Coordinates of all heavy atoms in Angstrom, one line a residue:
M629 N 3.5 -1.7 12.8 CA 2.9 -2.0 11.5 C 1.9 -3.2 11.7 O 2.1 -4.1 12.4 CB 3.9 -2.4 10.5 CG 4.8 -1.3 10.1 SD 5.9 -1.8 8.8 CE 7.1 -0.5 8.9
K630 N 0.8 -3.1 10.9 CA -0.3 -4.0 11.1 C 0.0 -5.4 10.3 O 0.6 -5.3 9.3 CB -1.6 -3.5 10.5 CG -2.1 -2.2 11.2 CD -3.2 -1.6 10.5 CE -3.6 -0.3 11.1 NZ -4.6 0.4 10.3
M631 N -0.4 -6.4 10.9 CA -0.2 -7.8 10.3 C -1.5 -8.5 10.0 O -1.5 -9.6 9.4 CB 0.7 -8.7 11.2 CG 2.1 -8.2 11.4 SD 3.1 -8.3 9.9 CE 3.1 -10.1 9.7
K632 N -2.6 -7.9 10.3 CA -3.9 -8.5 10.2 C -4.3 -8.7 8.7 O -4.1 -7.9 7.9 CB -5.0 -7.7 10.8 CG -6.3 -8.3 10.8 CD -7.3 -7.4 11.6 CE -8.7 -8.0 11.5 NZ -9.7 -7.1 12.1
K633 N -4.8 -9.9 8.4 CA -5.2 -10.2 7.0 C -6.7 -10.1 7.0 O -7.4 -10.6 7.9 CB -4.9 -11.6 6.6 CG -3.4 -11.9 6.5 CD -3.3 -13.4 6.1 CE -1.8 -13.8 6.1 NZ -1.6 -15.2 5.6
S634 N -7.2 -9.4 6.0 CA -8.7 -9.3 5.8 C -9.1 -10.5 5.0 O -8.5 -10.9 4.1 CB -9.0 -8.0 5.1 OG -10.4 -8.1 4.7
N635 N -10.2 -11.2 5.4 CA -10.7 -12.3 4.7 C -11.0 -12.1 3.2 O -10.8 -12.9 2.4 CB -12.0 -12.9 5.3 CG -11.7 -13.5 6.6 OD1 -10.6 -14.0 6.9 ND2 -12.8 -13.6 7.5
S636 N -11.4 -10.8 2.9 CA -11.7 -10.5 1.5 C -10.4 -10.5 0.6 O -10.5 -10.6 -0.6 CB -12.4 -9.2 1.3 OG -11.5 -8.1 1.8
I637 N -9.2 -10.4 1.2 CA -8.0 -10.3 0.4 C -7.2 -11.6 0.5 O -6.1 -11.7 -0.1 CB -7.1 -9.1 0.7 CG1 -6.6 -9.1 2.1 CG2 -7.9 -7.8 0.5 CD1 -5.4 -8.1 2.3
T638 N -7.6 -12.5 1.4 CA -6.8 -13.7 1.6 C -6.4 -14.5 0.3 O -5.3 -14.9 0.2 CB -7.6 -14.7 2.5 OG1 -7.8 -14.0 3.8 CG2 -6.8 -16.0 2.8
P639 N -7.3 -14.5 -0.7 CA -6.8 -15.2 -1.9 C -5.6 -14.6 -2.6 O -5.0 -15.2 -3.5 CB -8.1 -15.2 -2.8 CG -9.2 -15.0 -1.9 CD -8.7 -14.2 -0.8
F640 N -5.4 -13.3 -2.3 CA -4.3 -12.6 -3.0 C -3.0 -12.5 -2.1 O -2.1 -11.9 -2.5 CB -4.8 -11.1 -3.2 CG -6.0 -11.1 -4.1 CD1 -7.2 -10.9 -3.6 CD2 -5.9 -11.3 -5.5 CE1 -8.4 -10.9 -4.3 CE2 -7.0 -11.3 -6.3 CZ -8.3 -11.1 -5.7
L641 N -3.0 -13.2 -1.0 CA -1.9 -13.3 -0.1 C -1.2 -14.6 -0.2 O -1.8 -15.7 -0.2 CB -2.3 -12.9 1.3 CG -3.0 -11.6 1.5 CD1 -3.3 -11.5 3.0 CD2 -2.1 -10.5 1.1
D642 N 0.2 -14.6 -0.1 CA 0.9 -15.9 0.1 C 0.9 -16.2 1.6 O 0.3 -15.6 2.4 CB 2.3 -15.8 -0.5 CG 3.3 -14.9 0.2 OD1 3.0 -14.4 1.4 OD2 4.4 -14.7 -0.3
D643 N 1.6 -17.3 1.9 CA 1.6 -17.8 3.3 C 2.3 -16.9 4.3 O 2.2 -17.0 5.5 CB 2.1 -19.2 3.4 CG 3.6 -19.4 2.8 OD1 4.1 -18.4 2.2 OD2 4.2 -20.4 3.1
K644 N 3.1 -15.9 3.7 CA 3.8 -14.9 4.6 C 3.1 -13.6 4.6 O 3.6 -12.6 5.2 CB 5.2 -14.7 4.0 CG 6.1 -15.9 4.1 CD 7.5 -15.7 3.6 CE 8.3 -16.9 3.6 NZ 9.6 -16.8 3.0
G645 N 1.9 -13.5 4.1 CA 1.1 -12.3 4.1 C 1.4 -11.3 3.0 O 1.1 -10.1 3.1
R646 N 2.2 -11.7 2.0 CA 2.6 -10.8 0.9 C 1.6 -10.9 -0.2 O 1.1 -11.9 -0.5 CB 4.0 -11.2 0.4 CG 5.1 -11.0 1.5 CD 6.4 -11.5 1.0 NE 6.3 -12.9 0.6 CZ 7.3 -13.6 0.1 NH1 8.4 -13.1 0.0 NH2 7.1 -14.9 -0.2
I647 N 1.4 -9.8 -0.8 CA 0.5 -9.7 -2.0 C 1.1 -10.4 -3.2 O 2.2 -10.2 -3.6 CB 0.2 -8.2 -2.4 CG1 -0.4 -7.4 -1.2 CG2 -0.7 -8.2 -3.6 CD1 -1.7 -7.8 -0.7
K648 N 0.2 -11.4 -3.7 CA 0.7 -12.2 -4.9 C 0.3 -11.5 -6.2 O 0.9 -11.7 -7.2 CB 0.1 -13.5 -4.9 CG 0.4 -14.4 -3.7 CD -0.1 -15.8 -3.8 CE -1.6 -15.8 -3.6 NZ -2.2 -17.2 -3.5
A649 N -0.8 -10.7 -6.2 CA -1.3 -10.1 -7.4 C -2.2 -8.9 -7.0 O -2.8 -9.0 -5.9 CB -2.0 -11.1 -8.3
I650 N -2.3 -8.0 -7.8 CA -3.3 -6.9 -7.6 C -4.6 -7.2 -8.4 O -4.5 -7.4 -9.6 CB -2.8 -5.5 -8.1 CG1 -1.5 -5.1 -7.4 CG2 -3.9 -4.4 -8.0 CD1 -1.7 -4.7 -6.0
P651 N -5.7 -7.4 -7.7 CA -6.9 -7.8 -8.4 C -7.4 -6.6 -9.3 O -7.1 -5.4 -9.0 CB -7.9 -8.0 -7.3 CG -7.3 -7.4 -6.1 CD -5.9 -7.3 -6.3
S652 N -8.2 -6.9 -10.3 CA -8.7 -5.9 -11.2 C -9.9 -5.2 -10.6 O -10.0 -3.9 -10.7 CB -9.1 -6.5 -12.5 OG -7.9 -6.9 -13.2
P653 N -10.9 -5.9 -10.1 CA -12.1 -5.1 -9.7 C -11.8 -4.3 -8.4 O -11.1 -4.7 -7.5 CB -13.1 -6.2 -9.3 CG -12.5 -7.5 -9.7 CD -11.1 -7.3 -10.0
N654 N -12.3 -3.0 -8.4 CA -12.1 -2.2 -7.3 C -12.6 -2.7 -6.0 O -12.0 -2.4 -4.9 CB -12.7 -0.8 -7.5 CG -11.8 0.1 -8.3 OD1 -10.6 -0.2 -8.5 ND2 -12.3 1.2 -8.8
R655 N -13.6 -3.6 -6.0 CA -14.1 -4.1 -4.7 C -13.1 -5.0 -4.0 O -13.1 -5.1 -2.8 CB -15.4 -4.9 -5.0 CG -15.2 -6.2 -5.7 CD -16.6 -6.9 -5.8 NE -16.4 -8.2 -6.4 CZ -16.2 -8.4 -7.7 NH1 -16.3 -7.4 -8.6 NH2 -16.0 -9.7 -8.2
T656 N -12.1 -5.5 -4.8 CA -11.0 -6.3 -4.1 C -9.7 -5.6 -4.2 O -8.9 -5.7 -3.3 CB -10.9 -7.7 -4.8 OG1 -10.9 -7.6 -6.2 CG2 -12.0 -8.6 -4.3
K657 N -9.6 -4.7 -5.2 CA -8.3 -3.9 -5.3 C -8.1 -3.0 -4.2 O -7.0 -2.9 -3.6 CB -8.3 -3.1 -6.6 CG -7.0 -2.4 -6.9 CD -7.1 -1.5 -8.1 CE -7.3 -2.3 -9.3 NZ -7.4 -1.5 -10.5
I658 N -9.2 -2.3 -3.8 CA -9.1 -1.3 -2.7 C -8.7 -1.9 -1.4 O -7.8 -1.4 -0.7 CB -10.4 -0.5 -2.6 CG1 -10.7 0.3 -3.9 CG2 -10.4 0.5 -1.4 CD1 -9.7 1.2 -4.4
P659 N -9.3 -3.0 -1.0 CA -8.8 -3.7 0.3 C -7.4 -4.2 0.2 O -6.7 -4.1 1.2 CB -9.8 -4.9 0.4 CG -11.0 -4.5 -0.3 CD -10.5 -3.6 -1.5
V660 N -6.9 -4.6 -1.0 CA -5.5 -5.0 -1.1 C -4.6 -3.8 -0.9 O -3.6 -3.9 -0.2 CB -5.3 -5.7 -2.5 CG1 -3.8 -5.9 -2.8 CG2 -6.0 -7.1 -2.4
L661 N -5.0 -2.7 -1.6 CA -4.2 -1.5 -1.4 C -4.2 -0.9 0.0 O -3.2 -0.5 0.5 CB -4.6 -0.4 -2.4 CG -4.4 -0.7 -3.9 CD1 -5.1 0.3 -4.8 CD2 -3.0 -0.9 -4.2
S662 N -5.3 -1.0 0.6 CA -5.4 -0.6 2.0 C -4.5 -1.5 2.9 O -3.9 -1.0 3.8 CB -6.9 -0.7 2.5 OG -7.0 -0.4 3.8
Y663 N -4.5 -2.8 2.6 CA -3.6 -3.7 3.4 C -2.1 -3.2 3.3 O -1.4 -3.2 4.2 CB -3.8 -5.1 2.8 CG -2.9 -6.1 3.4 CD1 -3.1 -6.7 4.7 CD2 -1.8 -6.6 2.7 CE1 -2.3 -7.6 5.2 CE2 -1.0 -7.6 3.2 CZ -1.2 -8.1 4.5 OH -0.4 -9.1 5.0
I664 N -1.7 -2.9 2.0 CA -0.3 -2.5 1.8 C -0.1 -1.1 2.5 O 0.9 -0.9 3.1 CB 0.0 -2.4 0.3 CG1 0.0 -3.8 -0.3 CG2 1.4 -1.8 0.1 CD1 0.1 -3.8 -1.8
A665 N -1.0 -0.2 2.3 CA -0.9 1.1 3.0 C -0.8 1.0 4.5 O -0.1 1.8 5.1 CB -2.1 2.0 2.6
G666 N -1.4 -0.1 5.1 CA -1.3 -0.3 6.5 C 0.1 -0.7 7.0 O 0.4 -0.7 8.2
K667 N 1.0 -0.9 6.0 CA 2.4 -1.3 6.4 C 3.2 0.0 6.6 O 4.4 -0.1 7.1 CB 3.0 -2.1 5.3 CG 2.2 -3.4 4.9 CD 2.0 -4.2 6.1 CE 1.1 -5.4 5.8 NZ 0.7 -6.2 6.9
F668 N 2.7 1.2 6.3 CA 3.4 2.4 6.5 C 2.9 3.1 7.8 O 1.7 3.0 8.2 CB 3.0 3.4 5.3 CG 3.6 2.9 4.0 CD1 2.9 2.0 3.2 CD2 4.8 3.4 3.6 CE1 3.4 1.6 2.0 CE2 5.3 3.0 2.4 CZ 4.6 2.1 1.6
D669 N 3.8 3.8 8.5 CA 3.5 4.6 9.6 C 2.8 5.8 9.2 O 3.3 6.5 8.3 CB 4.7 4.9 10.4 CG 5.4 3.7 11.1 OD1 4.7 2.7 11.5 OD2 6.6 3.7 11.2
C670 N 1.8 6.2 9.9 CA 0.9 7.4 9.5 C 1.6 8.7 9.8 O 1.3 9.7 9.1 CB -0.4 7.3 10.2 SG -1.5 6.0 9.6
D671 N 2.4 8.8 10.7 CA 3.0 10.1 11.2 C 4.4 10.3 10.8 O 5.2 10.9 11.6 CB 2.8 10.2 12.7 CG 1.3 10.2 13.1 OD1 0.5 10.8 12.4 OD2 1.0 9.5 14.1
R672 N 4.8 9.9 9.6 CA 6.1 10.2 9.1 C 6.1 10.3 7.6 O 5.2 9.9 6.9 CB 7.1 9.2 9.6 CG 6.9 7.8 9.0 CD 8.1 6.9 9.1 NE 9.2 7.4 8.3 CZ 10.2 6.6 7.8 NH1 10.3 5.4 8.3 NH2 11.1 7.1 7.0
N673 N 7.2 11.0 7.1 CA 7.4 11.1 5.6 C 8.4 10.0 5.2 O 9.3 9.6 6.0 CB 7.9 12.5 5.3 CG 6.8 13.5 5.4 OD1 5.6 13.2 5.4 ND2 7.2 14.8 5.4
Y674 N 8.3 9.6 4.0 CA 9.2 8.6 3.4 C 9.8 9.1 2.2 O 9.2 9.8 1.4 CB 8.4 7.3 3.0 CG 7.8 6.6 4.2 CD1 6.5 6.9 4.7 CD2 8.4 5.5 4.8 CE1 6.0 6.2 5.8 CE2 7.9 4.8 5.9 CZ 6.6 5.2 6.4 OH 6.1 4.5 7.4
T675 N 11.0 8.6 1.9 CA 11.7 8.8 0.6 C 11.1 7.8 -0.4 O 10.5 6.8 0.0 CB 13.2 8.7 0.7 OG1 13.5 7.3 1.0 CG2 13.8 9.6 1.7
E676 N 11.3 8.1 -1.7 CA 10.8 7.1 -2.7 C 11.5 5.7 -2.5 O 10.8 4.7 -2.6 CB 11.1 7.6 -4.1 CG 10.5 6.8 -5.2 CD 10.7 7.4 -6.5 OE1 9.9 8.3 -6.9 OE2 11.6 7.0 -7.3
K677 N 12.8 5.7 -2.1 CA 13.5 4.5 -1.9 C 12.9 3.7 -0.7 O 12.7 2.5 -0.8 CB 15.0 4.8 -1.6 CG 15.8 3.6 -1.4 CD 17.3 3.9 -1.3 CE 18.1 2.7 -1.1 NZ 19.5 3.0 -1.0
E678 N 12.5 4.4 0.4 CA 11.8 3.8 1.5 C 10.5 3.2 1.1 O 10.1 2.1 1.6 CB 11.7 4.8 2.7 CG 13.0 5.1 3.3 CD 12.8 6.3 4.3 OE1 12.0 7.2 4.1 OE2 13.5 6.2 5.4
V679 N 9.7 4.0 0.4 CA 8.4 3.5 -0.1 C 8.6 2.2 -0.9 O 7.9 1.2 -0.7 CB 7.6 4.6 -0.9 CG1 6.4 4.0 -1.6 CG2 7.3 5.8 0.0
N680 N 9.5 2.3 -1.9 CA 9.8 1.1 -2.7 C 10.2 -0.1 -1.9 O 9.7 -1.2 -2.1 CB 10.8 1.4 -3.7 CG 10.4 2.4 -4.8 OD1 9.2 2.7 -4.9 ND2 11.3 3.0 -5.5
G681 N 11.0 0.1 -0.8 CA 11.5 -1.0 0.0 C 10.3 -1.6 0.8 O 10.2 -2.8 0.9
I682 N 9.4 -0.8 1.3 CA 8.3 -1.4 2.1 C 7.3 -2.1 1.1 O 6.9 -3.3 1.4 CB 7.5 -0.3 2.8 CG1 8.4 0.3 3.9 CG2 6.1 -0.8 3.3 CD1 7.9 1.6 4.6
I683 N 7.1 -1.6 -0.1 CA 6.3 -2.2 -1.0 C 6.9 -3.6 -1.5 O 6.2 -4.6 -1.5 CB 6.0 -1.3 -2.3 CG1 5.1 -0.2 -1.9 CG2 5.4 -2.1 -3.4 CD1 5.0 0.9 -2.9
D684 N 8.2 -3.5 -1.7 CA 8.9 -4.8 -2.1 C 8.8 -5.9 -1.0 O 8.7 -7.0 -1.4 CB 10.4 -4.5 -2.4 CG 10.6 -3.8 -3.8 OD1 9.7 -3.9 -4.6 OD2 11.7 -3.2 -4.0
E685 N 8.8 -5.4 0.2 CA 8.8 -6.4 1.3 C 7.4 -7.1 1.4 O 7.3 -8.2 1.9 CB 9.0 -5.7 2.6 CG 9.1 -6.5 3.9 CD 9.4 -5.7 5.1 OE1 9.9 -4.6 5.0 OE2 9.1 -6.3 6.2
W686 N 6.3 -6.4 0.9 CA 5.0 -6.9 1.1 C 4.3 -7.3 -0.2 O 3.0 -7.4 -0.3 CB 4.1 -5.8 1.8 CG 4.6 -5.8 3.3 CD1 5.4 -4.9 3.8 CD2 4.3 -6.7 4.3 NE1 5.6 -5.2 5.2 CE2 4.9 -6.3 5.4 CE3 3.5 -7.9 4.3 CZ2 4.8 -7.0 6.6 CZ3 3.4 -8.6 5.5 CH2 4.0 -8.2 6.6
H687 N 5.0 -7.5 -1.3 CA 4.4 -8.1 -2.5 C 5.5 -9.0 -3.1 O 6.7 -8.9 -2.9 CB 3.9 -7.1 -3.4 CG 4.9 -6.5 -4.3 ND1 5.9 -5.6 -3.9 CD2 5.0 -6.6 -5.7 CE1 6.6 -5.3 -5.0 NE2 6.1 -5.8 -6.0
T688 N 5.0 -9.9 -4.0 CA 5.9 -10.9 -4.6 C 6.1 -10.8 -6.1 O 6.9 -11.6 -6.7 CB 5.3 -12.4 -4.3 OG1 4.0 -12.5 -5.0 CG2 5.2 -12.6 -2.9
F689 N 5.4 -9.9 -6.8 CA 5.5 -9.8 -8.2 C 6.4 -8.8 -8.8 O 6.4 -8.5 -10.0 CB 4.1 -9.7 -8.8 CG 3.3 -8.6 -8.2 CD1 3.3 -7.3 -8.8 CD2 2.5 -8.8 -7.1 CE1 2.5 -6.3 -8.3 CE2 1.7 -7.8 -6.6 CZ 1.7 -6.5 -7.1
E690 N 7.2 -8.2 -7.9 CA 8.4 -7.3 -8.3 C 8.0 -6.2 -9.2 O 8.6 -5.9 -10.2 CB 9.5 -8.2 -9.0 CG 10.0 -9.2 -8.1 CD 11.1 -10.1 -8.7 OE1 11.7 -9.6 -9.7 OE2 11.4 -11.1 -8.2
D691 N 6.9 -5.4 -8.8 CA 6.5 -4.2 -9.5 C 6.1 -3.1 -8.6 O 5.0 -2.7 -8.5 CB 5.4 -4.6 -10.5 CG 5.1 -3.5 -11.5 OD1 5.7 -2.4 -11.4 OD2 4.4 -3.7 -12.5
H692 N 7.1 -2.6 -7.8 CA 6.8 -1.6 -6.8 C 6.4 -0.3 -7.5 O 5.6 0.5 -6.9 CB 8.0 -1.3 -5.9 CG 9.2 -0.8 -6.6 ND1 10.3 -1.7 -6.7 CD2 9.6 0.3 -7.1 CE1 11.3 -1.0 -7.3 NE2 10.9 0.2 -7.6
F693 N 6.7 -0.1 -8.8 CA 6.3 1.1 -9.5 C 4.7 1.0 -9.6 O 4.1 2.1 -9.4 CB 6.9 1.1 -11.0 CG 8.4 1.1 -11.0 CD1 9.0 -0.1 -11.3 CD2 9.1 2.2 -10.6 CE1 10.4 -0.2 -11.3 CE2 10.5 2.1 -10.6 CZ 11.1 1.0 -11.0
L694 N 4.2 -0.1 -10.0 CA 2.7 -0.2 -10.2 C 2.0 0.0 -8.8 O 1.1 0.7 -8.7 CB 2.4 -1.6 -10.7 CG 0.9 -1.9 -10.7 CD1 0.1 -1.0 -11.7 CD2 0.7 -3.4 -11.1
V695 N 2.5 -0.7 -7.8 CA 1.9 -0.6 -6.5 C 2.0 0.8 -5.9 O 1.0 1.4 -5.4 CB 2.5 -1.6 -5.5 CG1 1.9 -1.5 -4.1 CG2 2.4 -3.0 -6.0
R696 N 3.1 1.5 -6.1 CA 3.3 2.9 -5.6 C 2.3 3.8 -6.3 O 1.6 4.6 -5.7 CB 4.7 3.3 -5.8 CG 5.0 4.7 -5.2 CD 6.4 5.1 -5.4 NE 6.6 5.4 -6.8 CZ 7.7 4.9 -7.5 NH1 8.6 4.1 -6.9 NH2 7.8 5.2 -8.8
R697 N 2.2 3.6 -7.6 CA 1.3 4.4 -8.4 C -0.2 4.2 -8.0 O -1.0 5.2 -7.9 CB 1.4 4.1 -9.9 CG 0.4 4.7 -10.9 CD 0.2 6.2 -10.9 NE 1.4 6.9 -10.9 CZ 1.5 8.2 -10.4 NH1 0.5 8.8 -9.9 NH2 2.6 8.8 -10.5
L698 N -0.6 3.0 -7.8 CA -1.9 2.7 -7.4 C -2.2 3.2 -6.0 O -3.3 3.8 -5.7 CB -2.2 1.2 -7.4 CG -2.3 0.5 -8.7 CD1 -2.3 -1.0 -8.6 CD2 -3.5 1.0 -9.5
L699 N -1.3 3.2 -5.1 CA -1.4 3.7 -3.7 C -1.7 5.2 -3.8 O -2.5 5.8 -3.1 CB -0.2 3.4 -2.8 CG -0.1 2.0 -2.4 CD1 1.3 1.7 -1.7 CD2 -1.2 1.6 -1.4
I700 N -1.0 5.9 -4.7 CA -1.1 7.3 -4.9 C -2.5 7.6 -5.6 O -3.3 8.5 -5.1 CB 0.1 7.9 -5.7 CG1 1.3 7.8 -4.8 CG2 -0.2 9.4 -6.1 CD1 2.6 8.1 -5.6
D701 N -2.7 7.0 -6.7 CA -3.9 7.2 -7.5 C -5.2 7.0 -6.7 O -6.2 7.6 -6.9 CB -4.0 6.3 -8.7 CG -3.0 6.8 -9.8 OD1 -2.4 7.9 -9.6 OD2 -2.8 6.1 -10.8
H702 N -5.2 6.0 -5.7 CA -6.4 5.7 -5.0 C -6.4 6.4 -3.6 O -7.2 6.1 -2.8 CB -6.5 4.1 -4.8 CG -6.9 3.5 -6.1 ND1 -8.2 3.4 -6.5 CD2 -6.2 2.9 -7.0 CE1 -8.3 2.7 -7.6 NE2 -7.0 2.4 -8.0
G703 N -5.5 7.3 -3.4 CA -5.6 8.2 -2.2 C -5.1 7.6 -0.9 O -5.4 8.1 0.1
F704 N -4.2 6.6 -1.0 CA -3.6 6.0 0.2 C -2.3 6.7 0.6 O -2.0 6.8 1.7 CB -3.4 4.5 0.0 CG -4.7 3.7 0.0 CD1 -5.2 3.3 -1.2 CD2 -5.4 3.4 1.2 CE1 -6.4 2.6 -1.3 CE2 -6.5 2.7 1.1 CZ -7.1 2.3 -0.1
L705 N -1.6 7.1 -0.4 CA -0.3 7.8 -0.2 C -0.4 9.2 -0.9 O -0.9 9.3 -2.0 CB 0.9 7.1 -0.7 CG 1.3 5.8 0.0 CD1 2.6 5.2 -0.7 CD2 1.6 6.0 1.4
G706 N 0.2 10.2 -0.3 CA 0.4 11.4 -1.0 C 1.9 11.6 -1.3 O 2.7 10.9 -0.7
R707 N 2.2 12.6 -2.1 CA 3.7 12.8 -2.4 C 3.9 14.3 -2.9 O 2.9 14.9 -3.4 CB 4.2 11.9 -3.5 CG 3.6 12.1 -4.8 CD 4.3 11.3 -5.9 NE 3.7 11.7 -7.2 CZ 4.0 11.2 -8.3 NH1 4.9 10.2 -8.3 NH2 3.5 11.6 -9.4
K708 N 5.1 14.7 -2.7 CA 5.4 16.0 -3.2 C 5.5 15.9 -4.7 O 5.8 14.8 -5.2 CB 6.8 16.5 -2.7 CG 6.7 17.0 -1.2 CD 8.0 17.6 -0.8 CE 7.9 18.2 0.6 NZ 9.2 18.8 0.9
Q709 N 5.3 17.0 -5.4 CA 5.4 17.0 -6.9 C 6.7 16.5 -7.4 O 6.8 15.8 -8.5 CB 5.1 18.4 -7.5 CG 4.8 18.4 -8.9 CD 4.3 19.7 -9.4 OE1 4.1 20.6 -8.7 NE2 4.0 19.8 -10.7
D710 N 7.8 16.8 -6.7 CA 9.1 16.3 -7.2 C 9.5 14.9 -6.7 O 10.6 14.4 -6.9 CB 10.2 17.3 -6.7 CG 10.4 17.4 -5.2 OD1 9.7 16.6 -4.5 OD2 11.3 18.2 -4.8
C711 N 8.5 14.2 -6.1 CA 8.7 12.8 -5.6 C 9.7 12.7 -4.5 O 10.2 11.6 -4.2 CB 9.0 11.9 -6.7 SG 7.7 11.9 -8.0
S712 N 10.0 13.8 -3.8 CA 11.1 13.7 -2.8 C 10.5 13.3 -1.4 O 11.3 12.9 -0.5 CB 11.7 15.1 -2.6 OG 10.8 16.1 -2.1
S713 N 9.2 13.3 -1.3 CA 8.6 12.9 0.0 C 7.2 12.3 -0.2 O 6.5 12.8 -1.0 CB 8.5 14.2 0.9 OG 8.0 13.8 2.2
Y714 N 7.0 11.2 0.5 CA 5.7 10.5 0.5 C 5.2 10.4 1.9 O 5.9 10.3 2.8 CB 5.9 9.1 -0.1 CG 6.3 9.0 -1.5 CD1 7.6 9.3 -1.9 CD2 5.4 8.7 -2.5 CE1 8.0 9.3 -3.3 CE2 5.8 8.7 -3.9 CZ 7.1 9.0 -4.2 OH 7.5 8.9 -5.5
W715 N 3.8 10.3 2.0 CA 3.2 10.1 3.3 C 1.9 9.4 3.2 O 1.3 9.4 2.1 CB 3.0 11.5 4.0 CG 2.2 12.4 3.2 CD1 0.8 12.5 3.2 CD2 2.7 13.3 2.1 NE1 0.4 13.5 2.2 CE2 1.5 13.9 1.6 CE3 3.9 13.6 1.7 CZ2 1.6 14.9 0.6 CZ3 4.0 14.5 0.6 CH2 2.9 15.2 0.1
V716 N 1.4 8.9 4.3 CA 0.1 8.2 4.3 C -1.0 9.3 4.4 O -0.9 10.2 5.2 CB 0.0 7.2 5.5 CG1 -1.4 6.7 5.6 CG2 1.0 6.1 5.4
I717 N -2.0 9.2 3.6 CA -3.2 10.1 3.7 C -4.1 9.4 4.6 O -4.6 8.3 4.4 CB -3.8 10.3 2.3 CG1 -2.8 11.0 1.4 CG2 -5.1 11.1 2.4 CD1 -3.3 11.1 -0.1
K718 N -4.4 10.1 5.7 CA -5.3 9.6 6.8 C -6.7 9.6 6.3 O -7.2 10.6 5.8 CB -5.1 10.4 8.1 CG -3.7 10.3 8.7 CD -3.6 11.1 9.9 CE -2.2 11.0 10.4 NZ -1.9 11.8 11.6
K719 N -7.3 8.5 6.4 CA -8.8 8.3 6.0 C -9.6 8.6 7.2 O -9.2 8.2 8.3 CB -9.0 6.9 5.5 CG -8.2 6.5 4.3 CD -8.6 7.1 3.1 CE -7.8 6.5 1.9 NZ -8.2 7.0 0.6
S720 N -10.7 9.3 7.1 CA -11.6 9.5 8.2 C -12.3 8.2 8.5 O -12.7 7.5 7.5 CB -12.6 10.6 7.9 OG -13.4 10.3 6.8
D721 N -12.6 7.9 9.7 CA -13.3 6.7 10.1 C -14.8 7.0 10.2 O -15.2 7.8 11.0 CB -12.7 6.3 11.5 CG -13.3 4.9 12.0 OD1 -14.2 4.4 11.3 OD2 -12.8 4.4 12.9
P722 N -15.6 6.3 9.4 CA -17.0 6.6 9.4 C -17.7 6.3 10.7 O -18.7 6.9 11.1 CB -17.6 5.7 8.3 CG -16.5 4.7 8.0 CD -15.2 5.3 8.5
D723 N -17.1 5.5 11.6 CA -17.6 5.3 12.9 C -17.4 6.4 13.9 O -18.0 6.5 14.9 CB -17.0 4.0 13.5 CG -17.4 2.7 12.7 OD1 -18.4 2.7 12.1 OD2 -16.6 1.8 12.8
E724 N -16.5 7.3 13.5 CA -16.2 8.5 14.4 C -17.1 9.6 14.2 O -17.2 10.6 14.9 CB -14.8 9.0 14.2 CG -13.7 8.0 14.7 CD -12.3 8.4 14.4 OE1 -12.1 9.5 13.9 OE2 -11.4 7.7 14.8
D725 N -17.9 9.6 13.1 CA -18.8 10.7 12.7 C -20.1 10.7 13.6 O -20.5 9.8 14.1 CB -19.2 10.7 11.2 CG -18.0 11.0 10.4 OD1 -17.0 11.6 10.9 OD2 -18.0 10.7 9.2

C-alpha cells in the first residue's frame, strides 16, 4: 500500500497521513480521493466491511459512508449492484499512451 503524500493534499492530512476533511473543490477533492484509493490493492475484491475498515484507518472524521460513496461516484472504486463486492477501478496512465 502506498504511503506517499502529495503536496497538493498535505493541508488535508494529519501527522499520521490520515485525511482530516474532504475538500469541496474537485481540484483538491480528486487528489484526496486518489490518495485514499491508493490504500486499496488493485487486484482483489473487497467486502463492504473491508472497504469501511480501510477507509476508517485512513481518515479522522468518522464518515466512511461519505468517503465510500465519493470513491464510487468519482470512479475510484466499483461495486456490484448488491454491494457484496468492491474493487479498484484501474485508471489508464496518460504517460503510457
Side-chain angles (χ1 to χ4, degrees):
M629 290 186 198
K630 300 175 186 174
M631 291 293 292
K632 184 178 177 185
K633 294 182 188 180
S634 169
N635 289 337
S636 66
I637 68 166
T638 301
F640 301 100
L641 302 178
D642 70 6
D643 59 346
K644 296 180 182 175
R646 298 175 301 180
I647 303 295
K648 299 184 290 186
I650 298 289
S652 294
N654 276 346
R655 72 179 183 278
T656 48
K657 182 187 298 178
I658 300 303
V660 167
L661 293 174
S662 179
Y663 175 78
I664 296 173
K667 306 305 176 187
F668 293 86
D669 293 325
C670 290
D671 297 321
R672 67 164 288 204
N673 288 342
Y674 293 89
T675 65
E676 186 173 282
K677 185 176 180 178
E678 290 172 321
V679 170
N680 293 345
I682 292 169
I683 291 170
D684 284 342
E685 184 179 343
W686 289 101
H687 83 293
T688 62
F689 51 92
E690 300 181 18
D691 194 349
H692 61 255
F693 304 104
L694 170 66
V695 177
R696 188 181 67 229
R697 168 57 46 207
L698 289 171
L699 288 169
I700 293 165
D701 287 352
H702 287 278
F704 290 98
L705 291 182
R707 70 172 184 185
K708 286 188 175 181
Q709 191 169 0
D710 66 0
C711 302
S712 65
S713 183
Y714 294 77
W715 58 88
V716 174
I717 296 174
K718 295 178 185 178
K719 304 281 185 178
S720 63
D721 186 350
D723 295 333
E724 292 177 0
D725 293 340

